[in-house]
Amino acid sequence: MDWSLILILLAMGAAGGFAAGLLGIGGGMVLVPFITMIYTAEHFPPEAVVHMAIATSLATIMFTSLSSVRAHHAHGAVVWPIVRMLAPGIVVGSWAGPWLGKQLNTTALALVFAAFVAFSATQMLSGKKPAGARELPQAPGMFAVGGGIGVVSGVVGAGGGFMSIPFMTWCNVKMHQAVATSAALGFPIALSGTLSNIWFGWDQPGLPPYSLGYIYLPALAVIAAASVLAAPLGARAAHRMPVQQLKRIFAVILYALAGYMLWKAFH
């Protein structure tokens, strides 16, 4: 990698880390479209470029999540019982997600990414109030929800916040607590999904040097270094901003990135 590419990756890592801390989205929704652009410009195999972008993004979330959750935990905002109930299903689903993604071609994978991101943005902006008595489900239901979050996160390379935050707020968890708890859920999603991407990408022909399965290690190292430093800044900003403003920022970012991936699917 030349210096210009390293600087671009550093900027992306900082933006993704800040978004992860601010919105609890793991940074993946911000990173995947930009990593896809870079890998395309670097002439990575077209049939693997989105898979590699997703895998690299998911791997960075292991580092971003730890940095972000420390800052949220310092504010007492992480609801650890929710983390413990969702994590088992998340681990199982996050392992299965990359396998499912491997069965899709680049166009289909980009379309899936765009659809889920746009759906998540719409949910955040809908303004529907949860029923006053609505509560989180019991353990079997939480396992199923965690599994669903894990599968989709593994497919699209995100930390799961685009599903877990709307789910928690729908169940009357306060927005700031949902963001913080989602940041904590990012680690089991990323760890399980990363191991799965290494396993299922191991025999993929034509990948560039310094790839570990679908993960491109040089990009991972640069992005992770910047994101770890930026995530606590985003977490601190999240606790100073009103709930509605957080939701609008979240939705606008997701719509923009869904639009790019939709364009990518047909080009």
Side-chain angles (χ1 to χ4, degrees):
M1 294 192 297
D2 58 30
W3 279 106
S4 61
L5 182 55
I6 290 173
L7 290 174
I8 291 170
L9 291 172
L10 284 171
M12 284 171 42
F18 187 84
L22 180 66
L23 302 168
I25 60 175
M29 288 297 175
V30 177
L31 291 174
V32 170
F34 292 113
I35 298 175
T36 300
M37 293 179 202
I38 288 174
Y39 287 179
T40 300
E42 293 293 310
H43 307 293
F44 283 16
E47 68 278 5
V49 66
V50 176
H51 295 79
M52 291 191 70
I54 286 172
T56 305
S57 166
L58 197 57
T60 67
I61 294 169
M62 288 191 297
F63 305 95
T64 306
S65 173
L66 289 176
S67 179
S68 174
V69 78
R70 283 185 62 192
H72 282 298
H73 180 68
H75 286 87
V78 181
V79 186
W80 291 107
I82 295 178
V83 176
R84 287 191 290 271
M85 285 193 291
L86 286 175
I90 276 174
V91 169
V92 174
S94 298
W95 177 268
W99 173 85
L100 180 60
K102 187 177 181 179
Q103 315 311 309
L104 305 175
N105 61 29
T106 295
T107 297
L109 197 54
L111 283 172
V112 168
F113 185 95
F116 273 102
V117 174
F119 171 78
S120 301
T122 302
Q123 288 292 99
M124 294 301 291
L125 285 180
S126 66
K128 292 182 180 178
K129 300 290 186 182
R134 185 173 293 140
E135 297 179 353
L136 293 163
Q138 299 299 311
M142 292 291 274
F143 182 88
V145 170
I149 292 170
V151 168
V152 177
S153 299
V155 170
V156 302
F162 64 107
M163 293 180 68
S164 61
I165 292 175
F167 165 70
M168 284 185 277
T169 55
W170 185 73
C171 292
N172 285 300
V173 177
K174 293 178 180 178
M175 181 63 180
H176 290 99
Q177 289 181 324
V179 168
T181 305
S182 174
L185 291 169
F187 183 78
I189 287 172
L191 178 60
S192 181
T194 295
L195 294 174
S196 183
N197 273 309
I198 293 171
W199 178 263
F200 292 115
W202 193 262
D203 59 353
Q204 179 71 28
L207 297 182
Y210 308 110
S211 296
L212 184 62
Y214 282 121
I215 300 166
Y216 185 54
L217 294 177
L220 168 62
V222 176
I223 293 171
S227 65
V228 165
L229 295 176
L233 302 177
R236 283 197 287 272
H239 292 278
R240 299 191 183 103
M241 297 177 68
V243 170
Q244 285 305 117
Q245 191 172 353
L246 271 176
K247 287 186 176 181
R248 292 191 193 103
I249 291 172
F250 193 13
V252 168
I253 291 172
L254 294 185
Y255 275 130
L257 298 179
Y260 168 74
M261 293 305 284
L262 187 62
W263 175 87
K264 178 67 179 174
F266 297 104
H267 293 80

